[in-house]
Structure formats: C-alpha cells, structure tokens
Amino acid sequence: MAPGQRAQGVRGAVRRLGGGVLGDLCLVWAGQMMRESGVGGSALGRAWPRYDAMCAKLAVGQFADLVNDAGGRPTLEDVLDVARRTSGNYTVRRPLEIGGALAGCPEPTLRLLGCYGAAVGEAFQLRDDLLGIFGTPTVTGKPAGGDLSEHKATSVVVVAHRLAEPAVRTQLTELMSRSHLHAGDIARWRNLSAATAAVQWIEQLIDRRLSQALERIHTSPLDDTVRTALVNMAAVCTQRAA
C-alpha cells in the first residue's frame, strides 16, 4: 500500500473511531444486562461462551473495518470477512445462539441457528452496503452516500471497482484516492458505481445467502411457529427498502 493510501486509511479509521467506541460501550451494557437479568446461573453459564465468542470476533472485525479503507482497495473476501465478524456476528447469528443456549436448546439446534444466522447476518450487511450508497436519509438515518464520504470499503465499492470498464475504473480509482470528497464527488461516485453491474451482483449475493438460510430452516425439525418466525426475520433483515 502506498504512503498516501495508508494516510487515507488512518483518516478513515479516525472518522469511524467514535462508532467503535460506542460499540464497545454497548457490549459492556449488554454484559451487564445479562448478569442482572435474573436468569439462572446454569442458563447464563451456557450463554457466556457464545457471548464471549461474539465479542472476540467483533473486536477483530472492527479493527479490520477501521483499516479497510476504500483507497487501499481491499479484496471482496476481506470485506465479506469483516461483515461476518461484525454485523453478521452480532446482528443475527450470536444473538440467536445466545437465546437458544439460554433456553436450553440441544447442540444440533444451536448449530442450525448459527448457520442460519451467519447467512442472514451476512445478507443483512450486504443490504446495508447497498443502502449506505444508494439509500435515502429518511430510510437509513444517514446522509445519502454516507459510506462513500467516509471512504468505507464496502462490498459495493469493491465490486463496482472490479466490474467497471477501464475508463470507469480509472475514475473510481481517482475518487477512492481523494482525501476529501465534496457533494459533487459523492454524486459522481454513486453514478459511476450504478453504471457497473455492482448492484445486481450484490443482490445476487443477498439472494444466495437468503436461499441458504431458508433451505436450512425449511428442512429442519423446528416447530412451525419457530420456523415461521425465522422466515419472517430473514425477510425483515434482507428486504429493507431504499
């Protein structure tokens, strides 16, 4: 990585540092809530190892996210690995496993919930990546193109750069290398990304992971009520509007 790219990575990390600190605080609160929940010691004993695993993977993923700046052009696998360790880990997979452990579910059920949650959690992050560039503030609660202004190396950014025609890729590279972006730069980056097949490519990734998750649920011995709830949750996580 060139010195300029490293400098941009540091700047991107500083911009996202506040969010990481807030996430650490939420983890502390979550642990405190579990301890003070009134749930029995044996149930908590089953849940703590999964909670600890969630925290450990999240810490590694958050560090990788801080140094994965768009200017450094990480690979898609690097970006997806961050998604698995962060959003995929704490949004769906580990909470399901923790809840199942608290309820005393057998190990095969916990493994099923983990596989389902990993697929849905990754699909959730991929959808979030699309919204982070093409979503509207009324839906996302963030400025339009916020991920671009922060130089976040999301799946959409990486895939758009990979799929772009040479002339478009040159323009994307130039934008990704800028230390400061104005509103016009962000709009141009969005338009160039939309001109590639990145959106369709990411939608296919989402559909693939959703299909994997639903297939596991539909072929499982879970109760119909639980199965329906998990199917509905998968839809809520992956079909958010822009």
Side-chain angles (χ1 to χ4, degrees), residues 161-189:
H161 186 268
R162 175 192 292 183
L163 298 179
E165 296 293 332
V168 174
R169 184 179 297 118
T170 298
Q171 296 181 67
L172 288 171
T173 300
E174 189 267 332
L175 287 167
M176 293 160 70
S177 301
R178 290 189 182 183
S179 57
H180 300 288
L181 294 171
H182 302 294
D185 298 325
I186 295 171
R188 180 173 158 229
W189 195 345

Side-chain angles (χ1 to χ4, degrees), residues 215-226:
E215 182 179 2
R216 289 184 177 274
I217 294 303
H218 287 313
T219 58
S220 73
L222 292 173
D223 177 87
D224 287 344
T225 302
V226 175

Side-chain angles (χ1 to χ4, degrees), residues 174-213:
E174 189 267 332
L175 287 167
M176 293 160 70
S177 301
R178 290 189 182 183
S179 57
H180 300 288
L181 294 171
H182 302 294
D185 298 325
I186 295 171
R188 180 173 158 229
W189 195 345
R190 291 178 68 183
N191 291 335
L192 289 170
S193 298
T196 71
V199 173
Q200 296 87 339
W201 211 85
I202 298 299
E203 289 286 3
Q204 290 176 3
L205 288 183
I206 293 172
D207 289 343
R208 208 172 301 153
R209 282 151 181 75
L210 182 59
S211 296
Q212 293 170 356

Side-chain angles (χ1 to χ4, degrees), residues 1 5 8-9 12-13 15-16 61 63-83 86 125-126 128-130 132-133 145-161 176 181 189 202:
M1 185 183 296
Q5 292 173 338
Q8 290 156 17
R15 281 192 295 270
R16 298 195 290 273
F63 177 78
D65 187 40
L66 286 173
V67 300
N68 265 0
D69 188 84
R73 292 190 287 283
T75 67
L76 178 61
E77 186 51 43
D78 289 336
V79 173
L80 292 179
D81 184 63
V82 170
T86 54
Q125 182 58 55
L126 290 168
D128 198 61
D129 288 349
L130 286 173
I133 295 178
D147 284 356
L148 300 179
S149 64
E150 294 180 11
H151 281 84
K152 291 187 68 173
T154 68
S155 59
V156 183
V157 169
V158 173
V159 170
H161 186 268
M176 293 160 70
L181 294 171
W189 195 345
I202 298 299

Side-chain angles (χ1 to χ4, degrees), residues 62-113:
Q62 290 286 16
F63 177 78
D65 187 40
L66 286 173
V67 300
N68 265 0
D69 188 84
R73 292 190 287 283
T75 67
L76 178 61
E77 186 51 43
D78 289 336
V79 173
L80 292 179
D81 184 63
V82 170
R84 295 183 195 108
R85 294 177 184 274
T86 54
S87 292
N89 177 44
Y90 68 74
T91 303
V92 185
R93 179 187 175 186
R94 295 300 182 181
L96 279 175
E97 291 181 346
I98 291 170
L102 288 171
C105 291
E107 194 60 36
T109 300
L110 293 176
R111 286 196 298 270
L112 170 65
L113 292 174

